[in-house]
Amino acid sequence: MTLRAVPANFGPLRGPHGHARITGPCGDTMEFWILADAARLVRVAFTTDGCAHSMAAGSACARLAEGRAFDEVARIEADDVSAAAGGLPETSRHCALLAVNTLREALAALPHREATADSPRDAKPASPAPGENPVLKDRLAHIRHKVLVLSGKGGVGKSTVAVGLAMSLARSGKRVGLLDVDLHGPSVPKLLGVEGTPVEGRGDALLPVTTAGVKVMSIGLLLSNPEGPVIWRGPMKMHVIEQLLRDVEWGDLDVLVIDLPPGTGDEPLSICQLIPGADGAIVVTTPQDVATANVRRSVRFCRELKLPVLGVIENMSGFVCPSCGTTTFVFGSGGGERMAVEMGVRFLGRVPLDAQLAQAGDRGLASERCPQSAAAGREALERAFAAVLASLDGETHTEEERRTR
């Protein structure tokens, strides 16, 4: 029987002033407990159920933080932890990131901090304001256009539209990236058949996976168990979203397509704030009233953030029988177009239910063309995307888009 040696700072503290527990993308869970006086951390302890590198990162992070002032602790970075642990391999850098993020959440949980010259009462873990991170700004500076794909609710085919847009742009000769930040339902790897593809690193950066001429990154590519639930609280999700935007080395792109989580909550809001000056959003809906009501909220969400609405796509708009050609409007008809007219935004078109398009996505073949005789859905998507492409190329915008800029 092999016993794993544990460091002296391993294990919970009684009566901690701050505590945090986070499960990272790799599946490891780390906890930090901190005891503080008026200006600094007196004791720091941790636990982890992870590997030896996770143990080393947690211990190094706790030792770095113990005895330091709050603002010094807030400036501890993953590279500091890796160095203090004796140099973690690049493949285990996520262990250091998990340790730093957990420590920062424990620090943020302190009920109060006495005001001092070095540590103001409202001090929090240091992080740049949205859009001010220099690394993120440099990444975005190499991307000409940023297009967000969003929906008021899940299950309307948002990811299918995002993938279709990226593929259409790539076929037109554009340099395209596709970022899937739907943390709880990352569908892009499945749709493109890249599930399980290892993500490589270069220094502090992640290299996107390339398929069919599109550079792809998704939280689904970083999870040790793609079928396991992502059980994270808000602050951890915000950290991961910022890392996905900041740490992926896209290089020079003509267009970055971003598949947002559904709804208008913290996650879409954070993404929009981290990408100031985005070209706009494509809003996806289905025809029935329960979906279009939520999409109205999405349009208003865009207006509140001064984010132009490039247009609305009505998905699942009728089923064309492959045998007789009869169209059955399973979810009603025209709801998306009526909503677009009422809200004063461009209607990009209707996409019917297409069995072969759905089957291609399930088989990971969404990047491939279906036979023209059986690709009603793809043809409708291509027509919708042509309008978006013309808008990006010509820098033209509708009256609504000019008003919301």
Side-chain angles (χ1 to χ4, degrees):
M1 177 178 178
T2 301
L3 296 177
R4 181 170 62 170
V6 296
N9 52 348
F10 186 88
L13 296 176
R14 289 182 178 273
H17 300 130
H19 168 253
R21 181 177 186 269
I22 293 178
T23 299
C26 60
D28 291 354
T29 297
M30 194 170 291
E31 285 189 75
F32 267 80
W33 292 264
I34 57 178
L35 294 173
D37 61 17
R40 64 189 64 250
L41 299 188
V42 179
R43 290 280 308 281
V44 182
F46 83 104
T47 62
T48 180
D49 61 3
C51 62
H53 289 149
S54 183
M55 178 77 75
S59 176
C61 191
R63 286 185 280 109
L64 283 172
E66 195 164 88
R68 290 196 176 188
F70 298 140
D71 60 333
E72 293 179 311
V73 174
R75 290 196 295 267
I76 294 174
E77 298 289 348
D79 289 343
D80 302 323
V81 172
S82 180
L88 296 176
E90 186 61 33
T91 54
S92 294
R93 186 174 185 272
H94 63 274
C95 297
L97 286 170
L98 178 59
V100 167
N101 287 335
T102 310
L103 174 64
R104 286 177 176 174
E105 290 306 314
L107 187 66
L110 288 176
H112 69 277
R113 302 175 195 170
E114 296 298 328
T116 67
D118 295 328
S119 177
R121 179 180 295 275
D122 62 349
K124 293 180 180 176
S127 60
E132 293 183 2
N133 186 293
V135 178
L136 175 59
K137 289 180 70 174
D138 182 65
R139 298 272 191 232
L140 296 179
H142 291 272
I143 302 171
R144 185 180 177 196
H145 298 295
K146 299 95 177 174
V147 177
L148 313 180
V149 181
L150 55 87
S151 64
K153 63 187 294 294
V156 299
K158 172 179 55 62
S159 294
T160 299
V161 170
V163 168
L165 174 60
M167 294 300 142
S168 179
L169 291 168
R171 285 194 290 270
S172 73
K174 303 293 184 184
R175 297 167 298 178
V176 183
L178 174 58
L179 176 60
D180 177 9
V181 285
D182 190 345
L183 300 183
H184 296 286
S187 304
V188 166
K190 175 68 173 178
L191 291 170
L192 291 175
V194 295
E195 284 183 305
T197 303
V199 174
E200 298 181 359
R202 177 186 296 154
D204 291 335
L206 298 172
L207 300 180
V209 172
T210 300
T211 180
V214 175
K215 295 179 178 181
V216 180
M217 179 55 67
S218 168
I219 188 66
L221 295 172
L222 303 174
L223 298 172
S224 58
N225 178 13
E227 296 183 356
V230 175
I231 308 174
W232 295 336
R233 302 184 73 174
M236 180 59 184
K237 289 192 284 188
M238 298 309 105
H239 283 309
V240 171
I241 287 171
E242 183 172 359
Q243 285 176 249
L244 284 173
L245 290 169
R246 182 193 65 214
D247 293 347
V248 178
E249 189 175 292
W250 297 105
D252 293 323
L253 293 180
D254 294 310
V255 186
L256 176 63
V257 179
I258 305 173
D259 182 13
L260 270 67
T264 57
D266 280 351
E267 294 152 60
L269 175 61
S270 294
I271 295 162
C272 292
Q273 290 177 328
L274 286 165
I275 309 177
D279 290 77
I282 295 175
V283 183
V284 184
T285 186
T286 48
Q288 68 269 44
D289 289 344
V290 69
T292 56
N294 285 310
V295 170
R296 283 183 172 86
R297 297 186 185 97
S298 294
V299 172
R300 294 188 180 102
F301 169 83
C302 292
R303 287 174 174 168
E304 288 289 331
L305 297 177
K306 303 293 188 270
L307 176 67
V309 178
L310 299 177
V312 173
I313 290 179
E314 181 181 291
N315 197 21
M316 306 182 195
S317 182
F319 171 71
V320 181
C321 177
S323 299
C324 66
T326 302
T327 300
T328 302
F329 294 99
V330 181
F331 300 115
S333 174
E337 184 172 9
R338 287 192 298 273
M339 184 277 303
V341 171
E342 292 168 6
M343 299 296 290
V345 297
R346 178 189 297 164
F347 182 65
L348 295 173
R350 299 182 181 87
V351 180
L353 286 163
D354 187 328
Q356 289 208 11
L357 188 59
Q359 291 165 6
D362 286 344
R363 297 196 304 269
L365 303 175
S367 62
E368 299 183 8
R369 289 185 179 273
C370 294
Q372 290 301 312
S373 61
R378 189 179 297 281
E379 290 170 358
L381 283 171
E382 292 286 355
R383 287 193 297 272
F385 299 150
V388 176
L389 180 59
S391 177
L392 295 178
D393 281 344
E395 302 292 343
T396 57
H397 302 282
T398 66
E399 178 66 25
E400 162 61 21
E401 289 158 9
R402 284 193 295 272
R403 189 174 68 79
T404 57
R405 274 192 176 270

